[in-house]
Amino acid sequence: MYELVFWRYLEGFYLNHQEVYEAIIEQQEVAGLEQLPTIVILNRINSVFSKWDKVDENSWKNPNGKGAFQVEATPQSIQIDCYGTEGKTMNLLVDTLAEFKCPLYDPQVPERYDEMSE
């Protein structure tokens, strides 16, 4: 499994990414994060991956190759667990969330890919 996590900071806030990630995983609300339009984001992911099989409300499977992913949304974050998913598919997910100004936090590295990264 490869995990992709997304959130937006409120203007003027910039927190420790790892601590934010840990709070998100525990489904805790984090002061300094924006509320996300999660239904709109899920609808957009569904549109982008319309040729994929929708396994359930938040899971997709590639019918023509390898890979599947599951999306878990909280009011402040989107977490995508990728299973055997190719890099180009993960990049498409990252690009889709970028449309909503939600940069990727990659907990495997760990690194957040936004304009404020050091």
Side-chain angles (χ1 to χ4, degrees), residues 40-107:
V40 175
I41 291 171
L42 288 170
N43 286 339
R44 179 67 180 138
I45 291 170
N46 195 44
S47 174
V48 169
F49 289 90
S50 62
K51 290 186 165 72
W52 284 44
D53 292 338
K54 195 160 182 191
V55 178
D56 60 33
E57 200 58 32
N58 297 315
S59 303
W60 289 260
K61 179 177 79 170
N62 186 348
N64 301 314
K66 63 181 188 172
F69 63 89
Q70 180 176 21
V71 179
E72 185 161 331
T74 72
Q76 296 181 314
S77 68
I78 300 290
Q79 175 185 344
I80 304 175
D81 295 331
C82 299
Y83 304 94
T85 308
E86 296 178 341
K88 65 181 182 180
T89 300
M90 288 192 273
N91 287 339
L92 185 54
L93 287 163
V94 170
D95 292 345
T96 301
L97 271 292
E99 294 175 19
F100 298 92
K101 296 183 178 22
C102 292
L104 168 66
Y105 177 73
D106 183 339

Side-chain angles (χ1 to χ4, degrees), residues 4 8 12 14 33 52 57 60 84:
L4 310 172
R8 276 194 315 230
Y14 200 68
L33 297 188
W52 284 44
E57 200 58 32
W60 289 260

